[in-house]
């Protein structure tokens, strides 16, 4: 299902074409576009596998790096600094990840507090019906919950039908059904 990702860290720096996240959370948030309304957690290491050169998927992050908004609080919590970047070639070492980036706008100057990266799949291939992006194999590895589809959304669900199927769940190795 089309999914968006949020990675969280204790801090972020953006300098010289490098984005460094320190104190990276081992789990990341994954959520789907409407009408599916699925959300959950995935190991951050699994998300970073999307950039591996061996990932031959035509929509891999290695072949088509995603845009992301990096958002960092100031240490005292009085402000937020944002930058929009293209994420490339992550290198994970312990709880720190370094991305090569192209900065599209903004910077993180003064953003010396907790940070999050919102990975945006808008504009990815096969997205004529959804702004969230293409189905990714990683979307099926995390733990998810699924809300009930309201009667008013049934028409939208039929419209999104090729993208809004429910992943297998309930027995090993799949996540629990909710």
């Amino acid at each position: 299902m089309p999914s968006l990702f949020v990675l969280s860290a204790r801090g972020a720096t953006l300098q010289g074409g490098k984005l460094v996240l320190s104190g990276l959370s081992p789990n990341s948030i994954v959520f789907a576009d409407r009408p599916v309304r699925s959300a959950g957690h995935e190991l951050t290491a699994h998300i970073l596998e999307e950039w591996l050169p061996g990932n031959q998927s035509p929509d891999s992050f290695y072949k088509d790096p995603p845009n992301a908004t990096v958002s960092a609080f100031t240490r005292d919590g009085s402000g937020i600094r944002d930058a929009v970047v293209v994420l490339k070639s992550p290198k994970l070492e312990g709880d720190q990840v370094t991305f090569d980036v192209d900065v599209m706008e903004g910077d993180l100057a003064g953003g010396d507090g907790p940070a999050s990266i919102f990975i945006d799949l808008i504009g990815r291939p096969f997205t004529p019906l959804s702004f969230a992006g293409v189905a990714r194999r990683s979307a099926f590895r995390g733990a998810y919950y699924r809300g009930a589809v309201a009667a008013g959304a049934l028409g939208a669900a039929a419209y999104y039908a090729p993208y809004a199927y429910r992943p297998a769940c309930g027995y090993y190795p799949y996540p629990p059904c909710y």
Side-chain angles (χ1 to χ4, degrees):
M1 76 189 73
S3 297
L4 301 163
F5 306 100
V6 180
L7 284 65
S8 298
R10 286 193 304 269
T13 59
L14 179 60
Q15 222 171 15
K18 301 281 185 188
L19 171 66
V20 179
L21 297 174
S22 55
L24 183 68
S25 174
N27 294 307
S28 295
I29 297 169
V30 181
F31 61 98
D33 192 15
R34 293 180 183 197
V36 178
R37 298 181 188 250
S38 291
H41 303 273
E42 183 172 350
L43 292 176
T44 302
H46 286 175
I47 293 172
L48 296 177
E49 289 174 5
E50 293 292 332
W51 282 271
L52 290 176
N55 184 345
Q56 295 303 312
S57 172
D59 60 335
S60 74
F61 289 162
Y62 176 74
K63 292 181 179 178
D64 187 10
N67 293 348
T69 297
V70 184
S71 184
F73 281 101
T74 57
R75 188 175 308 261
D76 65 4
S78 65
I80 298 174
R81 304 295 184 263
D82 292 322
V84 178
V85 298
V86 177
L87 297 173
K88 304 175 190 176
S89 309
K91 293 168 188 69
L92 181 63
E93 295 174 353
D95 70 346
Q96 179 174 303
V97 65
T98 302
F99 288 94
D100 293 331
V101 296
D102 294 331
V103 178
M104 299 172 71
E105 64 182 63
D107 66 43
L108 298 181
D112 51 3
S116 294
I117 295 183
F118 301 87
I119 300 176
D120 181 9
L121 301 180
I122 292 174
R124 304 283 298 167
F126 308 114
T127 58
L129 304 177
S130 171
F131 288 110
V134 302
R136 299 206 160 269
R137 71 179 154 74
S138 60
F140 301 107
R141 290 196 285 212
Y144 289 89
Y145 71 85
R146 180 179 168 108
V149 177
L154 288 178
Y159 183 75
Y160 283 86
Y163 303 98
Y165 58 91
R166 183 182 179 117
C169 61
Y171 55 90
Y172 182 85
Y174 300 110
C177 296
Y178 293 103

